[in-house]
Amino acid sequence: MNKKLPDQIPIFPLPGVIYFPKTNLPLNIFEQRYLDLVNDAIRKDKLMGMIQSKRIENEVYKVGCLGEISDFKKSTDGRILINLTGLMRFEVLEEKVNSKLYREFKVNYNKFALDLKPIKEEVNIETLMTKIKVFFRKNGLLINWKEFDKLDSVQKINTLAMISPITNEEKQKLLESVSLNEKTKTLGNIINFYLHEKDIINKTLQWYKLKKMICSLNRKSLHYF
């Protein structure tokens, strides 16, 4: 993308949703404020930002991703179906007061300048992928790993960051990881934590069941005598 990125953008706050440059995010728009946002963006430059909203009313995280509307369809019931293609991550500087239904923010892209450059980092994700598959299986998530393996390392890490069943805060931490190596390490630490936590829970449950069974046997023995 050659044109200069705008320093003030319309933003769609949505909890639990992150995406990265060079990834696609399909959205089903039905609220009037976001219908207005999308229609205005289409008329202007097709650019809009996505950012996670916090649990506290009206608060958003400090980092989101700018996207370009690459597909736009209006349905007969008034909804708009769009596809956003990620361009570059941004930091929020301040919210700009406007008379519109949707929100606009002044943003800065400097921290994520690498998003516009070819990624030359090399990461070994074989060990991580083994743990990821275990983590997804334990959470009952079915993934077509054969198709997934066709992606390059960057696409794999970004896709896993977007779809993994982790907290909003953990997703945000991944979004804010500047380099691919940092993002891969962060994702690995998160997965290791969950797998270790599940192992502890499972061992605790097994011990609890064993203890309960022993107590039950002891009561029966005492009753017998």
Side-chain angles (χ1 to χ4, degrees), residues 124-203:
N124 186 338
I125 62 172
E126 288 184 14
T127 302
L128 174 60
M129 284 307 304
T130 299
K131 293 180 179 179
I132 284 282
K133 289 177 181 179
V134 172
F135 177 60
F136 273 52
R137 187 173 65 249
K138 286 187 174 183
N139 282 277
L141 297 176
L142 300 176
I143 302 293
N144 186 336
W145 295 113
K146 189 175 181 180
E147 287 298 314
F148 185 86
D149 286 338
K150 295 177 182 178
L151 304 175
D152 62 35
S153 295
V154 177
Q155 291 172 317
K156 286 179 179 177
I157 294 299
N158 286 344
T159 301
L160 290 170
M162 291 165 67
I163 68 174
S164 290
I166 56 181
T167 67
N168 293 357
E169 290 76 14
E170 289 163 336
K171 283 181 180 287
Q172 190 65 28
K173 192 172 182 180
L174 290 167
L175 182 66
E176 295 179 13
S177 299
V178 176
S179 68
L180 179 62
N181 274 299
E182 182 187 350
K183 195 188 307 174
T184 303
K185 183 178 179 181
T186 300
L187 181 59
N189 289 339
I190 292 170
I191 298 304
N192 284 336
F193 169 78
Y194 278 105
L195 290 178
H196 180 64
E197 184 182 51
K198 278 185 174 290
D199 285 342
I200 291 176
I201 291 173
N202 287 336
K203 287 177 182 177

Side-chain angles (χ1 to χ4, degrees), residues 216-225:
S216 177
L217 288 172
N218 286 340
R219 281 196 298 270
K220 288 180 179 178
S221 297
L222 289 170
H223 180 72
Y224 177 80
F225 287 107

Side-chain angles (χ1 to χ4, degrees), residues 14-40:
L14 197 62
V17 176
I18 61 169
Y19 82 124
F20 294 87
K22 301 180 182 65
T23 63
N24 292 299
L25 180 65
L27 290 170
N28 179 8
I29 310 295
F30 54 88
E31 284 188 61
Q32 188 58 53
R33 53 182 166 170
Y34 299 126
L35 291 171
D36 288 356
L37 187 159
V38 170
N39 283 319
D40 287 351

Side-chain angles (χ1 to χ4, degrees), residues 82-96:
I82 66 171
N83 182 74
L84 270 186
T85 299
L87 298 177
M88 189 175 188
R89 287 171 290 173
F90 59 79
E91 288 184 287
V92 165
L93 299 180
E94 62 177 338
E95 183 165 4
K96 305 300 290 186

Side-chain angles (χ1 to χ4, degrees), residues 38-56:
V38 170
N39 283 319
D40 287 351
I42 287 292
R43 283 191 290 265
K44 186 181 178 185
D45 53 17
K46 297 184 178 180
L47 300 179
M48 59 181 281
M50 290 293 299
I51 200 165
Q52 280 206 96
S53 56
K54 293 186 176 182
R55 293 184 179 89
I56 303 171

